[in-house]
Amino acid sequence: MRRRTAFAWTLIVCLLSGGCSLLTPEKSVVDKILEEMENMSEPSEEEKQQVKKEAEQYLKERYGEEFYVDNLKYIWPTDRWSMRGHLKNEEGWDFWVSKARGQFKDAYFTHRISRDAEEEIKPQIEEAFDSLINWDTSVGVADEIKDQYAKSIPSYQELREQTKRYYQTITIALATSLTEKNQEQEFEEVYRLVSYLNQNNIRAEIEIFYYDPSIKEKGIKKVDFTRQVQYEGFLTAKIEIDDVSQVKRERDLENHFRFVNK
């Protein structure tokens, strides 16, 4: 695979420099480059099956469970494979797996812990916020901790009892215009969630977006947190708490919110 990548770059340099006699009269330099890149970017079925076998063996050895991978893609400029991993006999979710420079990496540990975290705080969020549009949470864990517990992954609650080398991120979208009049009521809702996190010793950061209710009239049923720019016209205020342990009282939230000027 690396030979393919090296040859591809050699071809591009060669064609652009005019030092190669690979072009036929009816093909332009660009046409030829695109054709060769397309031919080389798609691995053979044999190569795919080999990487698939290696990935599944890697996951089994790392976690002691049976997995399968699919949706294999090869990115030739970086000589990297990307694929989806699945725990056998457990449908409904998947996780990222990659192979680069002969080394595999995966997100199974953090996906599993994040799923536990989502199940734990879902009732708290749905109870606290009346105008909830959608929300998301994820947990990051130090690599050494993932290596230590790979063969016997604890629950999220158990993990919190054994280490502080993790951090949870919570992002929430609300269809409520935060104003000076309703600020106190909204702070009460946020503080209920913050109190739960602190009482359960959850190391977390929170980001809450307050959108004008008209966002729903535009047919937006879910906010894509990776593309915040497209919702800025509806944004009225934000609350950003880098560390919930900093919030000891409800009025401490005043230090973490701001109105958005249109």
Side-chain angles (χ1 to χ4, degrees):
M1 194 63 70
R2 290 180 180 175
R3 289 195 297 270
R4 172 186 291 157
T5 303
F7 178 73
W9 286 115
T10 302
L11 172 67
I12 293 173
V13 172
C14 188
L15 291 174
L16 292 177
S17 66
C20 302
S21 57
L22 298 175
L23 302 183
T24 58
E26 64 273 12
K27 289 185 182 243
S28 69
V29 171
V30 174
D31 289 339
K32 186 63 178 178
I33 290 176
L34 292 176
E35 179 183 310
E36 294 297 332
M37 288 173 64
E38 182 177 356
N39 291 338
M40 288 184 293
S41 63
E42 183 62 31
S44 68
E45 187 59 31
E46 183 180 353
E47 288 175 306
K48 284 186 177 181
Q49 290 303 315
Q50 179 61 31
V51 173
K52 174 180 169 65
K53 181 179 178 181
E54 292 173 358
E56 291 171 350
Q57 183 63 28
Y58 153 79
L59 292 169
K60 181 177 181 179
E61 291 177 358
R62 178 166 175 78
Y63 298 108
E65 299 186 75
E66 294 290 337
F67 297 84
Y68 70 93
V69 300
D70 60 11
N71 198 35
L72 281 78
K73 296 179 181 178
Y74 178 68
I75 302 92
W76 71 263
T78 56
D79 190 19
R80 181 171 66 88
W81 286 88
S82 177
M83 65 206 83
R84 292 183 306 186
H86 309 264
L87 184 62
K88 283 187 177 180
N89 303 320
E90 187 172 351
E91 301 296 331
W93 67 292
D94 54 53
F95 56 94
W96 164 85
V97 183
S98 74
K99 179 186 179 183
R101 300 180 181 87
Q103 299 295 317
F104 282 99
K105 291 185 178 181
D106 71 277
Y108 175 63
F109 192 109
T110 52
H111 271 242
R112 183 158 158 176
I113 293 295
S114 295
R115 186 177 60 169
D116 279 359
E118 180 179 349
E119 292 175 355
E120 179 178 352
I121 67 170
K122 181 179 180 180
Q124 312 302 322
I125 290 179
E126 292 184 345
E127 179 182 344
F129 300 104
D130 296 331
S131 61
L132 183 66
I133 300 176
N134 63 289
W135 64 284
D136 185 50
T137 190
S138 62
V139 179
V141 183
D143 288 342
E144 293 84 354
I145 299 301
K146 289 187 284 187
D147 292 342
Q148 180 180 349
Y149 294 105
K151 287 279 195 308
S152 182
I153 299 177
S155 69
Y156 185 38
Q157 290 184 342
E158 291 170 339
L159 180 73
R160 300 199 302 266
E161 295 172 358
Q162 297 168 19
T163 183
K164 291 185 177 181
R165 302 189 67 187
Y166 73 92
Y167 215 74
Q168 183 171 352
T169 301
I170 303 169
T171 311
I172 301 170
L174 304 175
T176 297
S177 294
L178 184 59
T179 65
E180 293 181 0
K181 291 183 178 180
N182 67 1
Q183 181 176 312
E184 183 176 349
Q185 177 184 340
E186 295 300 323
F187 279 8
E188 287 179 5
E189 294 182 353
V190 176
Y191 190 67
R192 277 202 295 272
L193 174 60
V194 170
S195 296
Y196 175 85
L197 297 171
N198 284 331
Q199 289 167 9
N200 288 275
N201 298 313
I202 299 176
R203 295 164 50 82
E205 61 178 304
I206 302 176
E207 190 169 25
I208 303 175
F209 298 89
Y210 290 86
Y211 295 106
D212 189 281
S214 63
I215 192 172
K216 289 189 173 182
E217 298 173 6
K218 297 296 183 181
I220 298 174
K221 298 180 180 180
K222 182 178 180 180
V223 171
D224 183 348
F225 295 122
T226 66
R227 299 181 178 181
Q228 292 290 355
V229 175
Q230 66 189 53
Y231 311 102
E232 285 185 350
F234 300 100
L235 190 62
T236 64
K238 292 175 64 176
I239 289 180
E240 296 176 289
I241 306 172
D242 294 333
D243 182 352
V244 293
S245 67
Q246 298 173 352
V247 181
K248 308 294 185 182
R249 299 163 295 180
E250 185 176 318
R251 67 183 184 183
D252 290 343
L253 292 171
E254 296 177 2
N255 301 321
H256 300 276
F257 95 100
R258 67 179 178 87
F259 290 113
V260 175
N261 296 323
K262 301 294 183 179

PDB file of all heavy atoms in Angstrom, residues 154-183:
ATOM      1  N   PRO A 154     -14.931  -1.148  33.073  1.00  0.00           N
ATOM      2  CA  PRO A 154     -15.894  -0.906  34.146  1.00  0.00           C
ATOM      3  C   PRO A 154     -17.073  -0.088  33.647  1.00  0.00           C
ATOM      4  O   PRO A 154     -17.033   0.471  32.547  1.00  0.00           O
ATOM      5  CB  PRO A 154     -15.072  -0.106  35.164  1.00  0.00           C
ATOM      6  CG  PRO A 154     -14.081   0.639  34.317  1.00  0.00           C
ATOM      7  CD  PRO A 154     -13.740  -0.292  33.178  1.00  0.00           C
ATOM      8  N   SER A 155     -18.116   0.003  34.450  1.00  0.00           N
ATOM      9  CA  SER A 155     -19.206   0.930  34.136  1.00  0.00           C
ATOM     10  C   SER A 155     -18.685   2.343  34.372  1.00  0.00           C
ATOM     11  O   SER A 155     -17.626   2.541  34.986  1.00  0.00           O
ATOM     12  CB  SER A 155     -20.412   0.664  35.042  1.00  0.00           C
ATOM     13  OG  SER A 155     -20.113   1.043  36.379  1.00  0.00           O
ATOM     14  N   TYR A 156     -19.430   3.328  33.911  1.00  0.00           N
ATOM     15  CA  TYR A 156     -18.992   4.714  34.091  1.00  0.00           C
ATOM     16  C   TYR A 156     -18.931   5.063  35.579  1.00  0.00           C
ATOM     17  O   TYR A 156     -17.996   5.742  36.021  1.00  0.00           O
ATOM     18  CB  TYR A 156     -19.950   5.646  33.354  1.00  0.00           C
ATOM     19  CG  TYR A 156     -19.525   7.093  33.365  1.00  0.00           C
ATOM     20  CD1 TYR A 156     -18.190   7.458  33.248  1.00  0.00           C
ATOM     21  CD2 TYR A 156     -20.468   8.117  33.483  1.00  0.00           C
ATOM     22  CE1 TYR A 156     -17.794   8.785  33.247  1.00  0.00           C
ATOM     23  CE2 TYR A 156     -20.092   9.447  33.474  1.00  0.00           C
ATOM     24  CZ  TYR A 156     -18.751   9.780  33.362  1.00  0.00           C
ATOM     25  OH  TYR A 156     -18.368  11.100  33.365  1.00  0.00           O
ATOM     26  N   GLN A 157     -19.892   4.602  36.347  1.00  0.00           N
ATOM     27  CA  GLN A 157     -19.877   4.881  37.780  1.00  0.00           C
ATOM     28  C   GLN A 157     -18.664   4.226  38.443  1.00  0.00           C
ATOM     29  O   GLN A 157     -18.013   4.825  39.307  1.00  0.00           O
ATOM     30  CB  GLN A 157     -21.170   4.388  38.423  1.00  0.00           C
ATOM     31  CG  GLN A 157     -22.395   5.216  38.014  1.00  0.00           C
ATOM     32  CD  GLN A 157     -23.656   4.784  38.723  1.00  0.00           C
ATOM     33  OE1 GLN A 157     -23.722   3.673  39.261  1.00  0.00           O
ATOM     34  NE2 GLN A 157     -24.659   5.635  38.726  1.00  0.00           N
ATOM     35  N   GLU A 158     -18.338   3.004  38.054  1.00  0.00           N
ATOM     36  CA  GLU A 158     -17.167   2.331  38.606  1.00  0.00           C
ATOM     37  C   GLU A 158     -15.882   3.048  38.211  1.00  0.00           C
ATOM     38  O   GLU A 158     -14.953   3.159  39.009  1.00  0.00           O
ATOM     39  CB  GLU A 158     -17.124   0.883  38.125  1.00  0.00           C
ATOM     40  CG  GLU A 158     -18.231   0.011  38.699  1.00  0.00           C
ATOM     41  CD  GLU A 158     -18.320  -1.341  38.022  1.00  0.00           C
ATOM     42  OE1 GLU A 158     -17.831  -1.469  36.879  1.00  0.00           O
ATOM     43  OE2 GLU A 158     -18.885  -2.264  38.630  1.00  0.00           O
ATOM     44  N   LEU A 159     -15.826   3.530  36.968  1.00  0.00           N
ATOM     45  CA  LEU A 159     -14.644   4.246  36.494  1.00  0.00           C
ATOM     46  C   LEU A 159     -14.397   5.494  37.340  1.00  0.00           C
ATOM     47  O   LEU A 159     -13.251   5.782  37.705  1.00  0.00           O
ATOM     48  CB  LEU A 159     -14.830   4.640  35.023  1.00  0.00           C
ATOM     49  CG  LEU A 159     -13.666   5.406  34.399  1.00  0.00           C
ATOM     50  CD1 LEU A 159     -12.488   4.463  34.156  1.00  0.00           C
ATOM     51  CD2 LEU A 159     -14.079   6.059  33.080  1.00  0.00           C
ATOM     52  N   ARG A 160     -15.468   6.207  37.675  1.00  0.00           N
ATOM     53  CA  ARG A 160     -15.322   7.428  38.467  1.00  0.00           C
ATOM     54  C   ARG A 160     -14.785   7.143  39.868  1.00  0.00           C
ATOM     55  O   ARG A 160     -14.120   7.990  40.468  1.00  0.00           O
ATOM     56  CB  ARG A 160     -16.667   8.160  38.565  1.00  0.00           C
ATOM     57  CG  ARG A 160     -17.234   8.580  37.233  1.00  0.00           C
ATOM     58  CD  ARG A 160     -18.275   9.672  37.391  1.00  0.00           C
ATOM     59  NE  ARG A 160     -19.401   9.330  38.236  1.00  0.00           N
ATOM     60  CZ  ARG A 160     -20.552   8.837  37.792  1.00  0.00           C
ATOM     61  NH1 ARG A 160     -20.702   8.579  36.495  1.00  0.00           N
ATOM     62  NH2 ARG A 160     -21.549   8.599  38.616  1.00  0.00           N
ATOM     63  N   GLU A 161     -15.081   5.962  40.383  1.00  0.00           N
ATOM     64  CA  GLU A 161     -14.597   5.591  41.714  1.00  0.00           C
ATOM     65  C   GLU A 161     -13.114   5.214  41.694  1.00  0.00           C
ATOM     66  O   GLU A 161     -12.439   5.283  42.728  1.00  0.00           O
ATOM     67  CB  GLU A 161     -15.413   4.411  42.252  1.00  0.00           C
ATOM     68  CG  GLU A 161     -16.881   4.749  42.502  1.00  0.00           C
ATOM     69  CD  GLU A 161     -17.708   3.519  42.847  1.00  0.00           C
ATOM     70  OE1 GLU A 161     -17.115   2.405  42.857  1.00  0.00           O
ATOM     71  OE2 GLU A 161     -18.911   3.658  43.106  1.00  0.00           O
ATOM     72  N   GLN A 162     -12.613   4.854  40.520  1.00  0.00           N
ATOM     73  CA  GLN A 162     -11.252   4.334  40.427  1.00  0.00           C
ATOM     74  C   GLN A 162     -10.241   5.341  39.886  1.00  0.00           C
ATOM     75  O   GLN A 162      -9.036   5.174  40.093  1.00  0.00           O
ATOM     76  CB  GLN A 162     -11.256   3.078  39.546  1.00  0.00           C
ATOM     77  CG  GLN A 162     -12.077   1.939  40.133  1.00  0.00           C
ATOM     78  CD  GLN A 162     -12.315   0.809  39.146  1.00  0.00           C
ATOM     79  OE1 GLN A 162     -11.612   0.686  38.150  1.00  0.00           O
ATOM     80  NE2 GLN A 162     -13.325  -0.017  39.403  1.00  0.00           N
ATOM     81  N   THR A 163     -10.708   6.361  39.209  1.00  0.00           N
ATOM     82  CA  THR A 163      -9.769   7.330  38.630  1.00  0.00           C
ATOM     83  C   THR A 163     -10.448   8.677  38.374  1.00  0.00           C
ATOM     84  O   THR A 163     -11.672   8.739  38.213  1.00  0.00           O
ATOM     85  CB  THR A 163      -9.191   6.799  37.302  1.00  0.00           C
ATOM     86  OG1 THR A 163      -8.229   7.737  36.799  1.00  0.00           O
ATOM     87  CG2 THR A 163     -10.288   6.619  36.265  1.00  0.00           C
ATOM     88  N   LYS A 164      -9.635   9.709  38.333  1.00  0.00           N
ATOM     89  CA  LYS A 164     -10.110  11.033  37.931  1.00  0.00           C
ATOM     90  C   LYS A 164      -9.587  11.403  36.540  1.00  0.00           C
ATOM     91  O   LYS A 164      -9.786  12.530  36.077  1.00  0.00           O
ATOM     92  CB  LYS A 164      -9.650  12.087  38.942  1.00  0.00           C
ATOM     93  CG  LYS A 164     -10.329  11.968  40.296  1.00  0.00           C
ATOM     94  CD  LYS A 164      -9.919  13.102  41.206  1.00  0.00           C
ATOM     95  CE  LYS A 164     -10.658  13.016  42.542  1.00  0.00           C
ATOM     96  NZ  LYS A 164     -10.285  14.137  43.447  1.00  0.00           N
ATOM     97  N   ARG A 165      -8.985  10.440  35.882  1.00  0.00           N
ATOM     98  CA  ARG A 165      -8.378  10.708  34.582  1.00  0.00           C
ATOM     99  C   ARG A 165      -9.401  10.490  33.464  1.00  0.00           C
ATOM    100  O   ARG A 165      -9.233   9.657  32.577  1.00  0.00           O
ATOM    101  CB  ARG A 165      -7.134   9.864  34.389  1.00  0.00           C
ATOM    102  CG  ARG A 165      -6.094  10.102  35.473  1.00  0.00           C
ATOM    103  CD  ARG A 165      -4.803   9.418  35.148  1.00  0.00           C
ATOM    104  NE  ARG A 165      -4.165  10.013  33.981  1.00  0.00           N
ATOM    105  CZ  ARG A 165      -3.077   9.517  33.390  1.00  0.00           C
ATOM    106  NH1 ARG A 165      -2.533   8.410  33.856  1.00  0.00           N
ATOM    107  NH2 ARG A 165      -2.564  10.104  32.343  1.00  0.00           N
ATOM    108  N   TYR A 166     -10.479  11.240  33.550  1.00  0.00           N
ATOM    109  CA  TYR A 166     -11.539  11.231  32.540  1.00  0.00           C
ATOM    110  C   TYR A 166     -12.182  12.607  32.561  1.00  0.00           C
ATOM    111  O   TYR A 166     -11.960  13.391  33.505  1.00  0.00           O
ATOM    112  CB  TYR A 166     -12.600  10.170  32.870  1.00  0.00           C
ATOM    113  CG  TYR A 166     -13.472  10.576  34.027  1.00  0.00           C
ATOM    114  CD1 TYR A 166     -14.670  11.252  33.823  1.00  0.00           C
ATOM    115  CD2 TYR A 166     -13.077  10.336  35.345  1.00  0.00           C
ATOM    116  CE1 TYR A 166     -15.448  11.676  34.894  1.00  0.00           C
ATOM    117  CE2 TYR A 166     -13.846  10.750  36.403  1.00  0.00           C
ATOM    118  CZ  TYR A 166     -15.026  11.423  36.182  1.00  0.00           C
ATOM    119  OH  TYR A 166     -15.790  11.855  37.232  1.00  0.00           O
ATOM    120  N   TYR A 167     -12.969  12.906  31.549  1.00  0.00           N
ATOM    121  CA  TYR A 167     -13.696  14.179  31.544  1.00  0.00           C
ATOM    122  C   TYR A 167     -14.912  14.048  30.652  1.00  0.00           C
ATOM    123  O   TYR A 167     -14.821  13.550  29.527  1.00  0.00           O
ATOM    124  CB  TYR A 167     -12.805  15.322  31.055  1.00  0.00           C
ATOM    125  CG  TYR A 167     -13.101  16.624  31.763  1.00  0.00           C
ATOM    126  CD1 TYR A 167     -12.684  16.806  33.074  1.00  0.00           C
ATOM    127  CD2 TYR A 167     -13.809  17.646  31.139  1.00  0.00           C
ATOM    128  CE1 TYR A 167     -12.943  17.987  33.752  1.00  0.00           C
ATOM    129  CE2 TYR A 167     -14.077  18.830  31.813  1.00  0.00           C
ATOM    130  CZ  TYR A 167     -13.643  19.001  33.123  1.00  0.00           C
ATOM    131  OH  TYR A 167     -13.916  20.151  33.797  1.00  0.00           O
ATOM    132  N   GLN A 168     -16.061  14.472  31.167  1.00  0.00           N
ATOM    133  CA  GLN A 168     -17.311  14.379  30.413  1.00  0.00           C
ATOM    134  C   GLN A 168     -17.679  15.743  29.841  1.00  0.00           C
ATOM    135  O   GLN A 168     -17.565  16.767  30.513  1.00  0.00           O
ATOM    136  CB  GLN A 168     -18.448  13.875  31.318  1.00  0.00           C
ATOM    137  CG  GLN A 168     -19.770  13.697  30.575  1.00  0.00           C
ATOM    138  CD  GLN A 168     -20.820  13.000  31.419  1.00  0.00           C
ATOM    139  OE1 GLN A 168     -20.521  12.506  32.512  1.00  0.00           O
ATOM    140  NE2 GLN A 168     -22.038  12.940  30.929  1.00  0.00           N
ATOM    141  N   THR A 169     -18.116  15.740  28.612  1.00  0.00           N
ATOM    142  CA  THR A 169     -18.585  16.954  27.941  1.00  0.00           C
ATOM    143  C   THR A 169     -20.072  16.822  27.656  1.00  0.00           C
ATOM    144  O   THR A 169     -20.516  15.806  27.117  1.00  0.00           O
ATOM    145  CB  THR A 169     -17.829  17.178  26.622  1.00  0.00           C
ATOM    146  OG1 THR A 169     -16.427  17.298  26.894  1.00  0.00           O
ATOM    147  CG2 THR A 169     -18.314  18.439  25.920  1.00  0.00           C
ATOM    148  N   ILE A 170     -20.839  17.844  28.022  1.00  0.00           N
ATOM    149  CA  ILE A 170     -22.288  17.843  27.822  1.00  0.00           C
ATOM    150  C   ILE A 170     -22.665  19.076  27.013  1.00  0.00           C
ATOM    151  O   ILE A 170     -22.299  20.197  27.379  1.00  0.00           O
ATOM    152  CB  ILE A 170     -23.047  17.851  29.160  1.00  0.00           C
ATOM    153  CG1 ILE A 170     -22.620  16.652  30.017  1.00  0.00           C
ATOM    154  CG2 ILE A 170     -24.560  17.839  28.930  1.00  0.00           C
ATOM    155  CD1 ILE A 170     -23.105  16.726  31.454  1.00  0.00           C
ATOM    156  N   THR A 171     -23.369  18.876  25.909  1.00  0.00           N
ATOM    157  CA  THR A 171     -23.809  19.976  25.051  1.00  0.00           C
ATOM    158  C   THR A 171     -25.324  19.914  24.909  1.00  0.00           C
ATOM    159  O   THR A 171     -25.882  18.855  24.614  1.00  0.00           O
ATOM    160  CB  THR A 171     -23.155  19.888  23.663  1.00  0.00           C
ATOM    161  OG1 THR A 171     -21.735  19.696  23.819  1.00  0.00           O
ATOM    162  CG2 THR A 171     -23.401  21.163  22.864  1.00  0.00           C
ATOM    163  N   ILE A 172     -25.986  21.057  25.108  1.00  0.00           N
ATOM    164  CA  ILE A 172     -27.449  21.099  25.144  1.00  0.00           C
ATOM    165  C   ILE A 172     -27.961  22.238  24.275  1.00  0.00           C
ATOM    166  O   ILE A 172     -27.412  23.352  24.302  1.00  0.00           O
ATOM    167  CB  ILE A 172     -27.950  21.296  26.592  1.00  0.00           C
ATOM    168  CG1 ILE A 172     -27.462  20.151  27.478  1.00  0.00           C
ATOM    169  CG2 ILE A 172     -29.479  21.404  26.645  1.00  0.00           C
ATOM    170  CD1 ILE A 172     -27.693  20.373  28.963  1.00  0.00           C
ATOM    171  N   ALA A 173     -29.010  21.975  23.520  1.00  0.00           N
ATOM    172  CA  ALA A 173     -29.677  23.005  22.714  1.00  0.00           C
ATOM    173  C   ALA A 173     -31.097  23.182  23.224  1.00  0.00           C
ATOM    174  O   ALA A 173     -31.848  22.206  23.346  1.00  0.00           O
ATOM    175  CB  ALA A 173     -29.689  22.614  21.237  1.00  0.00           C
ATOM    176  N   LEU A 174     -31.481  24.436  23.512  1.00  0.00           N
ATOM    177  CA  LEU A 174     -32.811  24.739  24.023  1.00  0.00           C
ATOM    178  C   LEU A 174     -33.524  25.729  23.104  1.00  0.00           C
ATOM    179  O   LEU A 174     -32.893  26.641  22.566  1.00  0.00           O
ATOM    180  CB  LEU A 174     -32.720  25.344  25.426  1.00  0.00           C
ATOM    181  CG  LEU A 174     -31.983  24.532  26.491  1.00  0.00           C
ATOM    182  CD1 LEU A 174     -31.886  25.328  27.784  1.00  0.00           C
ATOM    183  CD2 LEU A 174     -32.674  23.200  26.726  1.00  0.00           C
ATOM    184  N   ALA A 175     -34.818  25.552  22.957  1.00  0.00           N
ATOM    185  CA  ALA A 175     -35.627  26.482  22.163  1.00  0.00           C
ATOM    186  C   ALA A 175     -36.244  27.508  23.106  1.00  0.00           C
ATOM    187  O   ALA A 175     -37.469  27.578  23.295  1.00  0.00           O
ATOM    188  CB  ALA A 175     -36.707  25.732  21.392  1.00  0.00           C
ATOM    189  N   THR A 176     -35.398  28.316  23.712  1.00  0.00           N
ATOM    190  CA  THR A 176     -35.818  29.346  24.656  1.00  0.00           C
ATOM    191  C   THR A 176     -34.930  30.565  24.492  1.00  0.00           C
ATOM    192  O   THR A 176     -33.699  30.434  24.501  1.00  0.00           O
ATOM    193  CB  THR A 176     -35.704  28.850  26.119  1.00  0.00           C
ATOM    194  OG1 THR A 176     -36.574  27.751  26.324  1.00  0.00           O
ATOM    195  CG2 THR A 176     -36.086  29.946  27.094  1.00  0.00           C
ATOM    196  N   SER A 177     -35.533  31.716  24.383  1.00  0.00           N
ATOM    197  CA  SER A 177     -34.766  32.952  24.342  1.00  0.00           C
ATOM    198  C   SER A 177     -34.417  33.341  25.768  1.00  0.00           C
ATOM    199  O   SER A 177     -35.308  33.639  26.575  1.00  0.00           O
ATOM    200  CB  SER A 177     -35.581  34.077  23.677  1.00  0.00           C
ATOM    201  OG  SER A 177     -35.818  33.804  22.321  1.00  0.00           O
ATOM    202  N   LEU A 178     -33.152  33.298  26.104  1.00  0.00           N
ATOM    203  CA  LEU A 178     -32.734  33.689  27.444  1.00  0.00           C
ATOM    204  C   LEU A 178     -32.731  35.208  27.537  1.00  0.00           C
ATOM    205  O   LEU A 178     -32.056  35.900  26.775  1.00  0.00           O
ATOM    206  CB  LEU A 178     -31.345  33.138  27.744  1.00  0.00           C
ATOM    207  CG  LEU A 178     -30.810  33.382  29.160  1.00  0.00           C
ATOM    208  CD1 LEU A 178     -31.740  32.762  30.189  1.00  0.00           C
ATOM    209  CD2 LEU A 178     -29.407  32.820  29.309  1.00  0.00           C
ATOM    210  N   THR A 179     -33.516  35.729  28.471  1.00  0.00           N
ATOM    211  CA  THR A 179     -33.625  37.180  28.673  1.00  0.00           C
ATOM    212  C   THR A 179     -33.410  37.492  30.150  1.00  0.00           C
ATOM    213  O   THR A 179     -33.348  36.587  30.996  1.00  0.00           O
ATOM    214  CB  THR A 179     -35.014  37.688  28.257  1.00  0.00           C
ATOM    215  OG1 THR A 179     -36.005  37.122  29.133  1.00  0.00           O
ATOM    216  CG2 THR A 179     -35.341  37.301  26.814  1.00  0.00           C
ATOM    217  N   GLU A 180     -33.343  38.771  30.471  1.00  0.00           N
ATOM    218  CA  GLU A 180     -33.185  39.164  31.869  1.00  0.00           C
ATOM    219  C   GLU A 180     -34.404  38.767  32.692  1.00  0.00           C
ATOM    220  O   GLU A 180     -34.305  38.488  33.885  1.00  0.00           O
ATOM    221  CB  GLU A 180     -32.936  40.670  31.964  1.00  0.00           C
ATOM    222  CG  GLU A 180     -31.596  41.094  31.371  1.00  0.00           C
ATOM    223  CD  GLU A 180     -31.357  42.584  31.500  1.00  0.00           C
ATOM    224  OE1 GLU A 180     -32.254  43.264  32.060  1.00  0.00           O
ATOM    225  OE2 GLU A 180     -30.294  43.064  31.065  1.00  0.00           O
ATOM    226  N   LYS A 181     -35.576  38.683  32.055  1.00  0.00           N
ATOM    227  CA  LYS A 181     -36.812  38.350  32.762  1.00  0.00           C
ATOM    228  C   LYS A 181     -36.881  36.877  33.152  1.00  0.00           C
ATOM    229  O   LYS A 181     -37.338  36.534  34.244  1.00  0.00           O
ATOM    230  CB  LYS A 181     -38.028  38.710  31.911  1.00  0.00           C
ATOM    231  CG  LYS A 181     -38.229  40.209  31.724  1.00  0.00           C
ATOM    232  CD  LYS A 181     -39.498  40.480  30.925  1.00  0.00           C
ATOM    233  CE  LYS A 181     -39.716  41.976  30.776  1.00  0.00           C
ATOM    234  NZ  LYS A 181     -40.964  42.276  29.997  1.00  0.00           N
ATOM    235  N   ASN A 182     -36.437  35.993  32.255  1.00  0.00           N
ATOM    236  CA  ASN A 182     -36.537  34.559  32.565  1.00  0.00           C
ATOM    237  C   ASN A 182     -35.207  33.954  33.001  1.00  0.00           C
ATOM    238  O   ASN A 182     -35.082  32.740  33.154  1.00  0.00           O
ATOM    239  CB  ASN A 182     -37.089  33.781  31.365  1.00  0.00           C
ATOM    240  CG  ASN A 182     -36.125  33.770  30.175  1.00  0.00           C
ATOM    241  OD1 ASN A 182     -35.030  34.314  30.236  1.00  0.00           O
ATOM    242  ND2 ASN A 182     -36.547  33.149  29.093  1.00  0.00           N
ATOM    243  N   GLN A 183     -34.212  34.807  33.199  1.00  0.00           N
ATOM    244  CA  GLN A 183     -32.875  34.331  33.537  1.00  0.00           C
ATOM    245  C   GLN A 183     -32.859  33.507  34.827  1.00  0.00           C
ATOM    246  O   GLN A 183     -32.237  32.441  34.890  1.00  0.00           O
ATOM    247  CB  GLN A 183     -31.934  35.533  33.676  1.00  0.00           C
ATOM    248  CG  GLN A 183     -30.502  35.178  34.014  1.00  0.00           C
ATOM    249  CD  GLN A 183     -29.624  36.405  34.049  1.00  0.00           C
ATOM    250  OE1 GLN A 183     -29.653  37.239  33.150  1.00  0.00           O
ATOM    251  NE2 GLN A 183     -28.858  36.552  35.111  1.00  0.00           N
TER     252      GLN A 183
END
